[in-house]
Amino acid sequence: MFKVKLYASTFATKTCSISKRGFQIIHPRGMDPTGLTSRVTRYFWPSVCLVFFVLYLVCNTYNVAAPPRSRRTKHHQGEYQAYVAPAAATAAGRITERNRVNFTSGVKEVWRDNIVYPQVDITDFPPLDPSLCPSMKEDIEIAPADSMPLIALASFPRSGNTWSRSLIQIASGYSTGSVHWETERNLPCVREWFKAGVKDFMLRKGVCVKSHFYGPEHVPIFEGGAILLLRNPYYSLASEFLRFHSRQLNDTEDVIVSMMKNEDERWTRNYLPTYDKWKNTALSWITRCKRLMIVFYEDLERNTVYELTRMVAFLGQPIQPMRIQCAVHSYASMKGRMNHTSQMNFDPYTPALHELLDGYIDEVNRTLIRKQAMPLPTYKKYYQET
């Protein structure tokens, strides 16, 4: 039997005896112990239940029992904490620069309207150890169902989407999905490499989701935001024309180049809706996506490690320098593979096509400038004689 001291609200001292039969109140001063006994009995078990409930909430909130690779990375509202809020507004007072911290990656983000710029530093990355890279290509995982945020990797075709997916997979350790999974799931390269891309992307098994769509109903599906890849349209349009006619229509390269050189209507007229698609893809994601990171293909070619690190941070994944460098090392051969200037020694764009395309570039650029976002690079107008 144990004896403990209890202090009642009257500040009188009482002795409580605890035995196998329960609580026994020994009151040496002759006061009725019934009230104190009932009070202890009334609050003891509710207090125990409250303690266990609080422990349950803490464990599930911070996921302390889960291994690092299996922790949920889904973005929730309020996950980005305001870091600084400078009063940097336009003359109209509508656009304000906001700095936030991405809790899942731990990286500071600068927001200009809905455009996000992750702030990363790669100066302390260790030297690459190529011997580690083969194993990193083999340990790509498909995330558990409903464990990833829906974040699009959006682009006009031939803008580096496949290359970026390959880089992201090795850098993050997770496979990527695709909104085009129903038409791509039987392709050998997809089944072998983009394994999350053979299942419905709404299962949220991919760290990001490839998309060439841009409709007003499509963009809002991605509540986690999107990475938009933008490439010089003079190159992406010509590349897509070559790809479509060679793979879909089985035309030879010589035939396709001849069409463009001789201003065939299949190039100068029938292909014009594809020009609109380049513009609409850019404008729709820029104006409709609530959280957007823009990656210029030319920057990705020039400084792949830095741009890939920014993408990994935006996706909410931990920055692992060796994985990022191995991704770039493993897929350096894909860089520039869509450059078709070596196939033609002429400018395939007529003056009318130049005027049309320059107008589209200017429209996209003005939209970015209105948001105080980084403008488009100065695009070369395809082949230029030296």
Side-chain angles (χ1 to χ4, degrees):
M1 179 177 294
F2 302 94
K3 291 188 177 181
V4 296
K5 296 282 189 177
L6 296 177
Y7 298 93
S9 59
T10 60
F11 302 100
T13 304
K14 302 172 179 59
T15 304
C16 177
S17 238
I18 304 176
S19 67
K20 293 183 179 179
R21 291 175 295 177
F23 290 95
Q24 293 179 345
I25 306 300
I26 302 173
H27 200 290
R29 299 183 183 179
M31 295 179 64
D32 183 9
T34 306
L36 185 58
T37 304
S38 61
R39 188 172 301 174
V40 172
T41 305
R42 182 188 307 170
Y43 294 112
F44 178 74
W45 288 114
S47 300
V48 172
C49 293
L50 180 62
V51 170
F52 278 105
F53 179 69
V54 171
L55 290 174
Y56 171 81
L57 288 179
V58 171
C59 290
N60 280 271
T61 300
Y62 294 98
N63 203 11
V64 297
R69 286 294 297 277
S70 64
R71 292 181 183 174
R72 291 176 63 85
T73 58
K74 186 173 181 178
H75 295 273
H76 298 283
Q77 187 175 4
E79 191 173 16
Y80 297 92
Q81 180 185 28
Y83 186 78
V84 189
T90 63
R94 288 193 295 268
I95 305 300
T96 301
E97 181 177 293
R98 307 186 306 275
N99 297 336
R100 300 179 176 182
V101 174
N102 185 325
F103 282 167
T104 50
S105 66
V107 171
K108 177 183 171 183
E109 295 179 344
V110 173
W111 286 57
R112 295 177 182 171
D113 198 24
N114 61 320
I115 313 298
V116 181
Y117 296 90
Q119 306 297 292
V120 299
D121 184 4
I122 63 173
T123 56
D124 60 348
F125 276 19
L128 171 67
D129 183 356
S131 65
L132 300 175
C133 297
S135 63
M136 292 182 180
K137 290 182 66 175
E138 299 298 326
D139 69 354
I140 309 299
E141 299 180 11
I142 300 176
D146 199 35
S147 66
M148 287 290 181
L150 276 180
I151 301 179
L153 183 64
S155 70
F156 176 80
R158 313 302 288 174
S159 297
N161 204 300
T162 300
W163 179 36
S164 297
R165 289 176 72 187
S166 298
L167 294 173
I168 289 170
Q169 288 195 160
I170 297 179
S172 68
Y174 288 109
S175 184
T176 59
S178 174
V179 301
H180 314 281
W181 64 277
E182 291 181 297
T183 56
E184 296 177 347
R185 59 184 171 182
N186 293 323
L187 297 176
C189 61
V190 173
R191 299 182 66 87
E192 179 181 350
W193 181 231
F194 301 117
K195 294 182 180 180
V198 302
K199 299 291 184 180
D200 188 348
F201 73 97
M202 292 298 290
L203 293 174
R204 301 169 183 263
K205 291 186 173 185
V207 66
C208 63
V209 180
K210 167 189 173 182
S211 177
H212 291 322
F213 297 150
Y214 55 87
E217 302 85 10
H218 180 70
V219 175
I221 292 175
F222 298 91
E223 82 283 350
I227 297 173
L228 175 63
L229 297 168
L230 287 179
R231 187 189 183 198
N232 184 343
Y234 279 103
Y235 288 93
S236 57
L237 283 164
S239 180
E240 174 61 7
F241 186 79
L242 286 160
R243 184 206 65 82
F244 178 78
H245 277 270
S246 62
R247 297 185 185 179
Q248 303 295 326
L249 303 180
N250 294 321
D251 289 331
T252 64
E253 182 180 310
D254 291 340
V255 170
I256 301 169
V257 171
S258 178
M259 288 184 206
M260 302 171 78
K261 187 171 186 177
N262 296 323
E263 301 181 7
D264 189 290
E265 67 174 6
R266 286 171 288 184
W267 166 246
T268 59
R269 182 178 177 182
N270 299 350
Y271 196 57
L272 290 181
T274 309
Y275 285 56
D276 294 336
K277 184 178 179 181
W278 179 88
K279 178 193 73 172
N280 293 333
T281 297
L283 291 178
S284 183
W285 285 99
I286 291 170
T287 58
R288 293 190 173 101
C289 185
K290 294 183 178 180
R291 177 176 177 263
L292 182 70
M293 174 184 172
I294 298 176
V295 175
F296 300 126
Y297 176 81
E298 293 74 19
D299 290 343
L300 186 61
E301 274 198 316
R302 183 166 47 250
N303 197 345
T304 311
V305 171
Y306 179 74
E307 293 298 326
L308 178 57
T309 304
R310 293 176 64 236
M311 288 193 281
V312 170
F314 179 86
L315 293 171
Q317 298 301 315
I319 294 176
Q320 304 174 73
M322 197 55 63
R323 292 197 72 97
I324 290 172
Q325 293 183 95
C326 277
V328 177
H329 173 76
S330 300
Y331 282 94
S333 59
M334 296 184 70
K335 182 164 65 174
R337 72 184 181 92
M338 295 175 291
N339 189 346
H340 295 285
T341 55
S342 60
Q343 300 174 3
M344 291 181 281
N345 57 358
F346 64 96
D347 181 356
Y349 294 92
T350 65
L353 292 177
H354 272 291
E355 183 179 1
L356 177 67
L357 196 50
D358 288 347
Y360 287 168
I361 293 172
D362 183 62
E363 186 175 353
V364 172
N365 212 22
R366 283 187 282 109
T367 303
L368 291 172
I369 292 172
R370 281 198 299 269
K371 292 176 174 286
Q372 291 189 333
M374 187 177 297
L376 296 173
T378 301
Y379 287 144
K380 295 180 180 179
K381 298 182 179 181
Y382 209 74
Y383 178 80
Q384 296 178 335
E385 293 187 9
T386 56

